[in-house]
Structures are given as C-alpha cells and as structure tokens.
Amino acid sequence: MDITQVITKYRRYLLVQPPMMLLLFALSISATVFTDLIVHRTCLVTLGINETECLILHNNSSSAEALRINQIVQPYTSFILTSKSFIESTWPSCLSLFLGQWSDKYGRKPLLISGYLGIFLTYFLLSVLSAWNISPWYLLIAYIPTAFLGGLSILMLGSICYITDITDNDERGWHLAWLDASINFGLLFGFLIGPKIFEMYGYSTVFSIATVSCSIAVLYIFLIPETIQSSNSGIYNIFDLTIVKNLINTCIKKREGFDRLLIWNCIACLTFLLIIIEGNLSIEYLFTSARLGWTVKEFSIYISINIVVGIFGMILGTKFFHNYLGFPEAIVAVISLISAAGAILVYAFTWKSWHMYLSLMIGIFSEMCRPMIRAILSKAVPSQDTGKVFSLATFIETLLPFVATSLYTYLYAHYMPPLYPVPVWFLSVVFYIMTIIILIYIQKRLVKSEVSHVSPLLEPNDSFTYNSL
C-alpha cells in the first residue's frame, strides 16, 4: 500500500516536525552559550588575560573595561567561529550533491537518521570537552561528526523532501511554513531555558541537556514511516558520480514545461536569504554585547521574544496574505522581505536596548519568505526530481555559511562598535533588496506561464516507484 494513503492529515504534523523541534531546542539552548564559551576560553587561554578581567564580560558587561576587553577578544573569537563554519559547511555541501537524488530512489529516512546522529555525537563531545580548561580551538573537534554525517543541511533536505512526498501543491506551502514554525518553537524553548541552566550549572550541563534532546530525536526518527519504498538500502550507490551528472542534467537540460530560469531564481533567493541568516547569526550576540553590554541572559530573552513574534507573524501572515487574501507565494515573500529589511535597518542605528525590540515589531512578518519560496520551487519540479533540485539548492546553501560568516565577521571585526552606525547591517539590506527584485521577476514569470505540470526528466535506470501525492 502507498504509504501516503495511510498518513492521515493530522499525522502529517507529527512526522518530521517533532524531532526537528527537539533538535532546534538543542541548538538554541547551546548556541549563545557556545559563543560565550569561545569568548571566555579565548580571553583566558588564548590571550592569557587573567580570570578576574575575563569575568568582567559576565559580571559588568556594559562597563568601559568590558568594551576594551571585547575589542581585543572578539576579533579572535570571530576567526574561530569562521573556522567552525568552514568545518560544518564543506563536506556536507559535497554530500548534498549525492544524497538528494539518492533519497529519491532509496528513501528519506537514512538522510534524517544520519543528520540527527551526527549532531547527537557533536553535543556529546561538547559536554565532555567543555569541562576542561582547554584552548577554544580544541572545541571544534566536536563538530567533525556533524560535518561527516551531513548535519543540519542534510536534515533540512530530507525533511523538505519528506513533506513534499506526503503533501499536494495546495497544502505544501502551509506544511513547509509549519515546519519552520516547529523550528521556531524549538528555538524559543531553548533560548528561554538555556541561560537559566547556564547560570546555575555551567557549560557542561547545557551541552549534556542538548545531547539528551538529540538522542530522543534520533529514537523518534526511527519510528516514522518511509515514503520511498526500495528493495535494497543503496548504501554502496551513495557516491555514484552519475548521480551528480543526472542532477546537473535535471536542472539545466531544456524540456517542455520545465522553467529552468524559475528554478535558478528560486535557488538564488534562498541563497541570499541564507547568507543574511548565517551572517546575522555570526555577529548578533557579539554586536549586542559590544553595543549594549548584553549578557547571555539578556540576549536570550531578546531572541526568545523575537521567536515568539516570528512564529505569530509567520502563521498569521501566511493565513491572512496567502490563504485569506489569496496573494501568490512570491508576493507574500516580498511582503516578508520588506518587513525583514526594515528590522535590519533598525539594527544599524541601534544605541538603546529598546531599539532592538522595536525591530521585532517592524520585522514581524520576516519569517514567511523561505517557506513561500520553497513552495514555489517544489511546485516547479515533478515529484521524481524533487530530491535532485533540492540537492542542488542544499549544496549551494551549505557552502554559504562559511562564506557568509567570513564576510560578516570580517566587516564586523574591522567596523565594530563604538562606530555608529555599524556598516555590516547595511550589507543585509542590500541582499534583501536583491532578493525582492528577483521575486518580482519570478511573479511576473509565473503569471505568464503555468509551472504546475512539468515533464519529468526520465533516466535509463529510473525504474523504481515514487510514492508521492
């Protein structure tokens, strides 16, 4: 029996979403704490500053002395975080070229299991390494399992393909938005709980809780049904070079009903958005610490409120603009990007804490854009080619964190507070404007042509059966 026939509608919310929420809980409970750990170890071990001065960054972070120490420590910290991004992006980007199309034939669950297992091992190692007063460079060893097994990029690839398998064109945009909402719920809980646990028990306990959360996610993912049925595991065919050849042919070969330009424009939009997201994440805590004197606790409270506003804005905005008013996905995404660009402009001119909270209200709809663009992309390709196209998108997206982190941390380290306004935020605005222009073009192209019915690109060995609605 086709597995999609037995997955009732309410169950579609309980398959890939709960483990993703657990994973993002683990990431958020530890993200700011990990950055703080790098700052502290850099101050204490790498630069040899005494413990009393390093603790000023925790105990009196808004003082002139803390600003002086930050100006010494943060450039080194930025370089370590850039190296971490390099580890997490290079090998997973290569894997994504193979695993998307491979999962079209052999199943989505192996991708999900691999990704969750790698991140579990990373947090297990961090819970051990953080207990030792060692150089911050040794902490990067923990990210090798995540990189080797694919990490978050492969998880997102598998999750998006999984949702595409069990939904039709009309409901896919909503389910992709709900996946993002689940991610934000996990982020919210983590940012709320993380600082309190850190204050009470320290670094190792935070990473240990993240390890437990990931272990539950690994067990959960074993229980969900597979959407692609195959007679063998295909483990020996993962690195078949014909997969890459077929992937490239799928995305560049001209065929009736296949709008290549539309596909590439959607990928370009996702690319720019990921650059912004990764770039902002790499400097946001450093910026608020240097400009406003925020500690881990204050920053986590802000992020938690940001997530709540983002979830509310995404669900309300998607229902109102897309479902109620009937705006197409591209127009909803443009509205979202205008909201996001306004919020980033407030960042650039921030000098008071309440300015950061003003940015939340201006950027209330900023979370709608990515699920809308993914919905456009999923509708533009046949189900047989879903993994291939999303593989290419994931390959490009996975390489970007390193590029984005390098670019943003370089600009920030050279033009950081007390400089006013901070120039790095204007870079994000430029990327938003470029994305808006592309989306306007996409909408005009969609009006002119129908992309719902596409001719699949058949290959000699495409004899397997796809299970999709």
Side-chain angles (χ1 to χ4, degrees):
M1 179 182 293
D2 190 334
I3 191 65
T4 58
Q5 295 177 1
V6 299
I7 299 178
T8 54
K9 287 193 174 182
Y10 81 91
R11 286 190 64 203
R12 296 176 188 178
Y13 295 94
L14 301 174
L15 297 171
V16 295
Q17 294 88 345
M20 186 62 75
M21 185 167 64
L22 286 169
L23 175 73
L24 268 296
F25 168 77
L27 292 175
S28 60
I29 199 176
S30 61
T32 307
V33 172
F34 179 79
T35 302
D36 185 83
L37 176 61
I38 294 294
V39 170
H40 185 260
R41 292 289 193 268
T42 300
C43 180
L44 189 64
V45 180
T46 304
L47 299 178
I49 300 174
N50 66 65
E51 178 77 20
T52 302
E53 289 185 283
C54 290
L55 287 177
I56 292 176
L57 298 177
H58 287 159
N59 302 330
N60 193 11
S61 58
S62 59
S63 66
E65 181 64 15
L67 177 60
R68 183 189 69 81
I69 296 173
N70 263 323
Q71 289 178 321
I72 299 172
V73 172
Q74 285 196 5
Y76 286 91
T77 301
S78 299
F79 185 57
I80 296 172
L81 294 176
T82 300
S83 301
K84 168 181 170 288
S85 179
F86 176 79
I87 294 172
E88 291 180 298
S89 62
T90 48
W91 178 245
S93 66
C94 296
L95 283 178
S96 64
L97 283 176
F98 296 91
L99 292 181
Q101 183 181 346
W102 181 89
S103 73
D104 282 340
K105 184 173 182 179
Y106 296 107
R108 314 299 188 189
K109 282 184 65 174
L111 273 64
L112 299 173
I113 293 171
S114 174
Y116 282 113
L117 183 60
I119 297 175
F120 160 76
L121 292 173
T122 287
Y123 281 114
F124 175 76
L125 290 174
L126 281 176
S127 64
V128 175
L129 293 173
S130 61
W132 301 336
N133 195 25
I134 56 177
S135 168
W137 288 103
Y138 288 112
L139 298 173
L140 300 186
I141 295 173
Y143 287 88
I144 294 176
T146 290
F148 182 74
L149 294 175
L152 186 59
S153 59
I154 295 302
L155 282 178
M156 287 302 299
L157 171 62
S159 298
I160 292 170
C161 290
Y162 194 100
I163 289 174
T164 301
D165 291 341
I166 63 174
T167 58
D168 57 30
N169 287 345
D170 293 333
E171 62 181 2
R172 188 166 301 141
W174 169 250
H175 278 274
L176 289 172
W178 188 250
L179 175 65
D180 274 20
S182 301
I183 288 172
N184 284 330
F185 279 122
L187 290 172
L188 172 62
F189 297 142
F191 280 117
L192 285 174
I193 297 172
K196 295 180 180 179
I197 297 174
F198 172 60
E199 286 183 358
M200 294 175 64
Y201 302 108
Y203 297 109
S204 294
T205 301
V206 171
F207 295 126
S208 297
I209 293 174
T211 303
V212 173
S213 180
C214 289
S215 67
I216 297 172
V218 172
L219 295 175
Y220 190 103
I221 213 67
F222 273 101
L223 301 178
I224 69 171
E226 178 61 82
T227 58
I228 304 294
Q229 305 304 319
S230 176
S231 58
N232 60 78
S233 66
I235 189 69
Y236 299 109
N237 298 324
I238 290 179
F239 296 107
D240 185 353
L241 291 178
T242 59
I243 289 178
V244 179
K245 180 181 178 181
N246 292 338
L247 181 150
I248 295 173
N249 286 338
T250 297
C251 297
I252 67 174
K253 188 173 182 179
K254 186 177 181 180
R255 48 189 162 130
E256 183 181 355
F258 188 83
D259 194 335
R260 295 171 295 172
L261 193 55
L262 176 65
I263 300 295
W264 284 102
N265 275 291
C266 287
I267 292 175
C269 288
L270 293 172
T271 298
F272 288 140
L273 291 177
L274 193 67
I275 289 175
I276 296 168
I277 292 170
E278 293 292 339
N280 291 353
L281 286 174
S282 66
I283 64 169
E284 197 169 15
Y285 173 64
L286 299 176
F287 167 74
T288 56
S289 176
R291 170 69 82 199
L292 304 172
W294 282 9
T295 62
V296 170
K297 181 179 180 179
E298 291 167 316
F299 181 74
S300 297
I301 291 173
Y302 166 76
I303 290 295
S304 301
I305 297 174
N306 189 3
I307 292 168
V308 172
V309 173
I311 293 172
F312 177 78
M314 180 171 60
I315 295 175
L316 177 65
T318 301
K319 282 292 186 182
F320 180 72
F321 292 116
H322 186 48
N323 294 3
Y324 181 70
L325 295 182
F327 287 175
E329 287 94 344
I331 299 301
V332 176
V334 168
I335 295 171
S336 174
L337 292 173
I338 293 172
S339 175
I344 290 296
L345 278 174
V346 175
Y347 274 31
F349 294 96
T350 288
W351 78 87
K352 298 288 186 180
S353 292
W354 69 266
H355 295 165
M356 296 294 291
Y357 290 94
L358 174 63
S359 73
L360 300 185
M361 304 313 300
I362 296 174
I364 187 171
F365 297 121
S366 59
E367 295 296 321
M368 297 188 300
C369 51
R370 296 185 77 193
M372 293 298 105
I373 296 170
R374 286 182 183 134
I376 296 171
L377 184 58
S378 69
K379 294 177 183 180
V381 297
S383 60
Q384 292 91 336
D385 297 333
T386 298
K388 300 172 189 175
V389 173
F390 278 112
S391 275
L392 182 62
T394 303
F395 168 71
I396 297 172
E397 290 181 359
T398 308
L399 283 177
L400 289 177
F402 171 65
V403 177
T405 302
S406 301
L407 178 60
Y408 275 73
T409 54
Y410 175 82
L411 285 176
Y412 175 75
H414 286 77
Y415 305 99
M416 61 180 288
L419 185 67
Y420 181 86
V422 178
V424 69
W425 299 118
F426 293 108
L427 179 62
S428 295
V429 175
V430 171
F431 283 127
Y432 277 131
I433 292 172
M434 293 170 63
T435 309
I436 289 171
I437 293 172
I438 295 173
L439 281 168
I440 293 172
Y441 171 78
I442 287 174
Q443 177 58 25
K444 290 182 177 179
R445 196 169 184 89
L446 287 172
V447 169
K448 293 181 181 179
S449 62
E450 176 62 42
V451 298
S452 297
H453 305 288
V454 187
S455 302
L457 182 66
L458 297 179
E459 295 154 6
N461 57 351
D462 280 350
S463 58
F464 52 90
T465 301
Y466 293 93
N467 296 324
S468 59
L469 293 179

